[in-house]
Amino acid sequence: MTATVGATLEREHRTIDDGIMDFAGADPSAVAPEQRSALLDSIAVLRRHIYIEEQYLFPPLRAAGMVGPVMVMVREHGLMWPLLDQLQRLVSDGDFGTATQLCRDLLQQLNSHNTKEEMILYPQADEVLSPGDLDELTDLLSTAEIPADWVCGGVLRS
């Protein structure tokens, strides 16, 4: 079976969700170091995933006429981004009880968000992007680094 852009990004959704779910299901008074590490890894992968979507996937989808759905995804990214900041702080401070609840909230957002991406945007991406774009995207998923000052497009700036 040939990999597609959609299938590749969906696999990454599952990887991200797994680390968050593991932490969300933990007893806050007994969070194992590997659960903490998996959560922090998931946060980093989610940030990179958002970056790649906004910088490389969404522009060709906008150009193909999917302006509305892309705007919704960017807005939802903007709602998640501060939660990721807060989660990192809570884990660093050892406030695992609050972090566990915030993980559950984030998982609800991701469930809704990912479903829309997987059912609406990713199939379009498979139609719009050229075959060579999958190789580039696969490389980006493992090598892309977010610029230090980059913040997703949906974050409200004051």
Side-chain angles (χ1 to χ4, degrees):
M1 182 173 126
T2 303
T4 64
V5 169
T8 302
L9 291 168
E10 282 182 41
R11 265 193 313 281
E12 190 160 77
H13 282 171
R14 301 305 157 260
T15 300
I16 292 163
D17 292 350
D18 288 347
I20 298 168
M21 279 191 278
D22 187 43
F23 191 93
D27 175 351
S29 65
V31 172
E34 56 271 8
Q35 289 171 306
R36 186 176 153 247
S37 178
L39 174 61
L40 294 174
D41 288 347
S42 287
I43 290 169
V45 173
L46 179 53
R47 285 184 190 279
R48 188 183 68 233
H49 182 91
I50 290 169
Y51 170 74
I52 290 167
E53 285 181 341
E54 291 194 12
Q55 296 298 303
Y56 300 97
L57 181 67
F58 291 172
L61 290 175
R62 271 191 208 97
M66 300 216 45
V67 174
V70 168
M71 286 177 58
V72 170
M73 295 300 101
V74 170
R75 183 182 155 278
E76 290 180 3
H77 287 168
L79 296 173
M80 284 182 247
W81 199 265
L83 291 179
L84 301 177
D85 291 338
Q86 186 179 2
L87 257 177
Q88 283 184 288
R89 278 192 303 277
L90 291 168
V91 171
S92 292
D93 294 346
D95 186 350
F96 300 139
T98 306
T100 299
Q101 183 54 53
L102 193 58
C103 280
R104 292 178 186 135
D105 296 343
L106 179 59
L107 284 167
Q108 286 181 336
Q109 286 184 17
L110 285 170
N111 182 51
S112 171
H113 178 83
N114 292 350
T115 299
K116 287 181 269 190
E117 282 186 337
E118 292 168 11
M119 298 196 67
I120 299 167
L121 289 184
Y122 293 173
Q124 274 304 123
D126 291 335
E127 294 293 320
V128 169
L129 299 175
S130 68
D133 290 332
L134 177 59
D135 291 337
E136 181 182 1
L137 181 68
T138 302
D139 289 343
L140 285 169
L141 289 171
S142 60
T143 63
E145 293 187 27
I146 302 172
D149 59 345
W150 190 86
V151 177
C152 71
V155 171
L156 297 175
R157 292 169 171 83
S158 45

